[in-house]
């Protein structure tokens, strides 16, 4: 009996460390953040984005993070954002496969290069889309609204999310142990 409890605790500890690390968190622009003068095409090239991963945009006042449809992204059209945030730190969970398009909604910033397109793979990672791409990739998810994706803003850091997950997971293991011992 004691051996099976030790085994369950070891598995619980493994999942506390392994499971939160499966989702990749990308800080957009790395140390430069979401700003003018950063080449986001170069930044995103070679990276793979998957469902469950997230993008963290860090930026100063005077910028926004707007999710837009592909045509607004290509033309740098502002004012039609699906979602918009200007808090200075925006975390976007990539919930669906397909193309995700982001730009700064301040007039002139997108045309100066403050835009990012990522292609999110489902079960297998897919290379990032080029920021100058004019046609959607073949795995764009069609929807009844015509928008390529849905995003969720997460008001906590990835560290807090992992800690919350670990606490919840450990609570479940403790409950399982109680049931097993009864």
């Amino acid at each position: 009996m004691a051996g099976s409890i030790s085994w369950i605790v070891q598995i619980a500890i493994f999942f506390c460390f392994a499971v939160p690390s499966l989702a990749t968190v990308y800080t957009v622009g790395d140390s430069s953040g979401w700003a003018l003068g950063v080449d986001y095409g170069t930044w995103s090239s070679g990276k793979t984005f998957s469902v469950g991963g997230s993008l963290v945009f860090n930026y100063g006042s005077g910028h926004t993070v707007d999710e837009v449809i592909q045509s607004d992204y290509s033309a740098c059209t502002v004012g039609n954002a699906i979602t918009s945030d200007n808090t200075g730190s925006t975390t976007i969970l990539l919930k669906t496969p397909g193309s995700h398009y982001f730009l700064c909604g301040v007039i002139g910033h997108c045309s100066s290069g403050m835009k990012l397109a990522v292609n999110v793979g489902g079960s297998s990672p897919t290379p990032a889309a080029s920021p100058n791409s004019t046609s959607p990739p073949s795995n764009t998810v069609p929807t009844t609204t015509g928008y390529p994706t849905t995003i969720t803003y997460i008001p906590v850091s990835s560290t807090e999310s992992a800690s919350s997950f670990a606490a919840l997971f450990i609570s479940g293991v403790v409950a399982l142990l109680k049931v097993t011992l009864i």
Side-chain angles (χ1 to χ4, degrees), residues 105-129:
V106 175
I107 294 175
H109 288 196
C110 175
S111 59
S112 295
M114 249 180 114
K115 65 185 198 172
L116 171 68
V118 297
N119 190 19
V120 178
S123 58
S124 62
T126 307

Side-chain angles (χ1 to χ4, degrees), residues 34 57-59 63-67 81 83-86 90 92 102-105 153:
W34 184 236
F57 292 80
N58 294 312
Y59 50 99
H63 296 299
T64 67
V65 175
D66 295 1
E67 182 195 13
T83 59
S84 183
D85 189 51
N86 65 355
T90 305
I92 297 174
F102 306 95
L103 55 79
C104 180
Y153 291 95

Side-chain angles (χ1 to χ4, degrees), residues 7 11 14 17 25 30 62 70 73 83 87 93 132 151 159 164:
W7 183 77
I11 290 175
F14 170 78
F17 291 103
V25 177
D30 297 321
Q70 191 271 332
Y73 171 84
T83 59
T87 60
L93 178 63
N132 297 322
I151 62 172
T159 305
S164 298

Side-chain angles (χ1 to χ4, degrees), residues 39-66:
D39 182 349
Y40 295 104
T42 299
W43 175 83
S44 64
S45 68
K47 290 180 174 55
T48 53
F49 302 94
S50 299
V51 170
S54 59
L55 300 173
V56 177
F57 292 80
N58 294 312
Y59 50 99
S61 61
H63 296 299
T64 67
V65 175
D66 295 1

Side-chain angles (χ1 to χ4, degrees), residues 141-159:
V141 177
T143 63
T144 56
T145 62
Y147 298 137
T149 185
T150 302
I151 62 172
T152 301
Y153 291 95
I154 306 171
V156 296
S157 71
S158 60
T159 305

